[in-house]
Amino acid sequence: MSTQADISAQIGAVAGLSGRQPRLDYPAYRSSSARHPELDPVPADPEGVELWAPCFGRRDVDDAEADLTRRHAGEPIGERMVVTGRVVDSGGRPVAHQLVEIWQANAAGRYWHQRDQHPAPLDPHFTGAGRCLTGADGTYRFLTVKPGPYPWRNHLNAWRPAHIHFSVFGTAFTQRLVTQMYFPGDPLFDLDPIYQSITDPKARQALLSRYDHSITTPEHSTGYRWDIVLTGSHRTPFEAEGNA
Amino acid sequence: MIPAPGQTVGPFFHLGLPFDGGNELVPPADPAAIRLHGNVADGDGNPVPDALIEIWQPGPDGSVVQEPGSFHRDGWTFTGWGRAATDADGHYWFSTCAPGGSAPFFAVTVFARGLLDRLFTRAYLPSPDPADALLTSLSAQRRATLIAQAEPRGLRFDIRLQGEGETVFLSHG
């Protein structure tokens, strides 16, 4: 089995190459080896439905789903925190009334998932999944607990930095994003092949939340802010607004 | 502003993403329902049992639907969007209707453990427009990976992530 030194050497071999998206062919993340396309993606002008995104509403998402600490009878263990920010396109325009989904490990680094064999405790009061709709200004907001780092089997003694998985829709199909939000200063960043698969350091930083005291709740929760910038929409404002 | 890069959906996405009825855009009992289904395979030809497929499509008349309700389907409202995880055999299925209009394809998004960013592709109906700009730009062999095969009650669309018969994946600039 590979050691961290082997994996770190593989990470180092391509570190700093330009690339604002993860490299799909990234040997340090071993399970990518047979799962990355070898042929270049084919450029295609978005057409038809690709210029639009699916629509979600109050029928889909209950307000209570944004509070991951209130899904069971008792309080989950861990650092309670607000996670909030805005979903915007690359021009800074808000993505309003759109779906944001998250899932995460508990404070001990254990997922509520049968395939997670990490012998850390499950928390009977924490499942770790939430959904919300953005507001008119693109703001999403969750209340949850800070996830712990956890080991995985990519290589010997591999650990993932603490993260929350995010699934985000834009105003066009082509903006669809699934990613992971990280916490500032995590000592595991340099060792992690998933985070490092984004070889441009500035692009990696776009996945970092920051502590924001102004969004904390006194004597209740800390707060982290993360704004999510999506790629541009191919629909022009003229088309989007549909006016003459 | 730098767009947020993607990251893999990982092995535990079942906790947050699939939901009951996610793959039933049209109820399977509806006489008009068709099945869109297929296998997801990796570069060794092995099934990918931890992939997630999303489709987004126009209605049979070609209209782009802007209706909420995908998460709590009422049996009547067609939302045009669905989500399905692959099973232990790497198989996914949707119950839906055929897309119509001037761009009659299913827009498909592929996520998987081991796949560091999502992939976009299209599933065209079996007899696509011979003048379609994307299809005509491809060799016959590659074009075939984007065309669903007709079956008695639906369409088959296999997805090959790598290797022989690798599906054409798209970049939208």
Side-chain angles (χ1 to χ4, degrees), chain A residues 44-52 173-174, chain B residues 36 55-60 62-64 78 80 96-108 120-126 128-129 132-135 146-148 155 157 170 172:
Chain A
D45 289 332
E47 292 179 71
V49 283
E50 290 166 336
L51 297 164
W52 298 81
F173 172 78
T174 53
Chain B
L36 171 71
I55 60 169
W56 170 230
Q57 62 165 105
S63 59
V64 177
F78 179 70
T96 187
C97 54
S102 59
F105 56 76
F106 300 91
V108 178
F120 292 130
T121 188
R122 294 175 181 175
Y124 282 85
L125 298 178
D129 178 357
D132 181 88
L134 172 63
L135 295 179
L146 298 183
I147 302 173
L155 297 165
F157 185 70
L170 305 177
H172 294 297

Side-chain angles (χ1 to χ4, degrees), chain A residues 221-240:
Chain A
S221 60
T222 63
Y224 286 84
R225 182 177 293 281
W226 183 49
D227 292 328
I228 305 169
V229 181
L230 302 180
T231 52
S233 163
H234 291 265
R235 217 164 0 127
T236 63
F238 174 81
E239 285 174 296

Side-chain angles (χ1 to χ4, degrees), chain B residues 30-97:
Chain B
D30 188 319
I34 62 167
R35 180 173 67 149
L36 171 71
H37 73 122
N39 290 332
V40 182
D42 70 11
D44 301 319
N46 292 321
V48 178
D50 39 18
L52 185 79
I53 308 298
E54 290 179 353
I55 60 169
W56 170 230
Q57 62 165 105
D61 63 353
S63 59
V64 177
V65 179
Q66 292 286 276
E67 285 280 351
S70 296
F71 282 88
H72 299 288
R73 301 199 191 271
D74 62 11
W76 299 98
T77 307
F78 179 70
T79 66
W81 180 79
R83 176 183 281 168
T86 54
D87 64 19
D89 295 321
H91 184 252
Y92 74 90
W93 64 269
F94 293 94
S95 175
T96 187
C97 54

